[in-house]
Amino acid sequence: MKVTAEKNEKVANMVFASIYPLYLDRLEKNGRTKEELDQVLNWFTGFDQAALQALIDEKVTFRTFFQRAKIHPNAHLIKGVVCGYRIEEIEDEFELYRQCRRMEKLIDELAKGRKMEKILREEKK
């Protein structure tokens, strides 16, 4: 599927605080914890638990969330399909949408029981 400017804008304007509890519910139903979710988000965005909570309290949009994030240098290793979109085929002009799908891919892997050391990608030596 192709990302459109409208779709990108819709995601950019979503409030992170409204989505975070949905991520958490999904993970807890699959036996994972808030700490594991926060660990994955910390790896991907650089936000620790206090920073995440501040962003939730501030009710930032995904646009602001990703503008403030320090995306991990190995984020390019996150590949695959999420919601019908192949991450590595999302155009550069839709970088925010790509980052959102990368984050969702990490959360999907966590929910499916993948080991943390596989989720937190490292460059092959």
Side-chain angles (χ1 to χ4, degrees):
M1 290 194 326
K2 297 287 275 179
V3 179
T4 63
E6 294 79 22
K7 185 77 167 169
N8 190 65
E9 198 58 24
K10 182 179 178 187
V11 169
N13 290 320
M14 288 172 34
V15 176
F16 177 71
S18 66
I19 305 300
Y20 182 86
L22 302 176
Y23 292 153
L24 186 57
D25 285 349
R26 176 169 181 227
L27 291 173
E28 288 177 341
K29 284 178 187 162
N30 288 289
R32 302 311 285 253
T33 65
K34 179 183 186 308
E35 289 72 27
E36 288 173 309
L37 171 59
D38 290 351
Q39 181 182 356
V40 167
L41 294 177
N42 174 261
W43 177 87
F44 184 60
T45 65
F47 298 132
D48 62 16
Q49 285 184 313
L52 280 172
Q53 191 57 55
L55 292 165
I56 290 167
D57 294 343
E58 196 180 327
K59 295 188 175 11
V60 300
T61 62
F62 273 105
R63 176 179 284 115
T64 302
F65 180 86
F66 285 114
Q67 284 172 344
R68 294 182 187 175
K70 291 175 180 55
I71 300 298
H72 195 282
N74 289 345
H76 68 279
L77 299 173
I78 304 166
K79 298 180 185 327
V81 177
V82 179
C83 299
Y85 294 91
R86 179 157 290 284
I87 295 168
E88 54 273 33
E89 292 175 3
I90 297 173
E91 296 92 350
D92 289 345
E93 67 183 292
F94 302 122
E95 181 63 21
L96 181 141
Y97 195 83
R98 182 187 305 139
Q99 297 303 15
C100 191
R101 292 298 177 208
R102 283 177 173 161
M103 185 169 70
E104 288 177 7
K105 180 70 172 171
L106 296 175
I107 293 165
D108 281 352
E109 291 174 352
L110 189 60
K112 291 176 181 170
R114 194 165 195 208
K115 288 185 166 69
M116 194 62 79
E117 58 268 16
K118 295 275 191 191
I119 296 170
L120 309 181
R121 282 129 168 106
E122 293 297 323
E123 291 277 7
K124 294 198 174 34
K125 303 259 188 272

